[in-house]
Amino acid sequence: MMFRTGLICACLVGLSACVATPSGPAGFVSGDRQLPQAQLDLRQNAAALDARFHEAGWVAEAHGAAVQRLTGMLMFGRGNSDRPTPVEVYYEAAGLNDAGPDMIIETARRDLAEASTLTYNLARDGETVAEAGGLTANSLSDDLGALEYALTDVRQALALFRTINDSGDGQLDAAIGSLELASERLGNAADGLMSRRRELRNATGS
């Protein structure tokens, strides 16, 4: 019993650190007009992507939901058997609960195209920031935080659409491939920002 109590306390200490961080890309949006416009655009567009992915049901859970669920399991033994699946969340958001297979595939294909465009545009924002002047290592850390949330959104959306595609005889292969390419470019943009931040830290000796 003492071991279990100690384990719960240790886990909650770790969870409290997570709660102290921004709960999504919107937490990194800054009103500091001294930041380069490229950084302001990146953070605003990352927040817009995040909001759209959740609104459209491409991402099933709100930020922090996994932490809350784990806390409930540790403290009260509550499971998650009643939690809707990502596909159920998407069908509800897209009005597809009573739709036939053709309508589901067509809607998913349209949504994939929109998701790809949003992801690709955010990747270009990241590439623009990497080439911008007036950057600091600290401000780049916030840019990276916003991109990491966006990357998580995109990966969850890919998992959702792959599940739908598995039951649709691969009709979404091309559309999913486009989102995969956009996701890869977004990941590369984040890597570029990490490299730029490393250069700045090395230059200041911090």
Side-chain angles (χ1 to χ4, degrees), residues 113-134:
E114 181 184 353
S116 296
T117 298
L118 290 169
T119 305
Y120 175 77
N121 289 342
L122 185 58
R124 291 198 303 178
D125 289 336
E127 293 162 358
T128 300
V129 169
E131 300 299 326

Side-chain angles (χ1 to χ4, degrees), residues 46-59 111 114-115 118:
L49 179 150
D50 178 70
R52 178 56 182 154
F53 272 53
H54 282 84
E55 173 194 36
W58 306 337
V59 174
D111 286 347
E114 181 184 353
L118 290 169

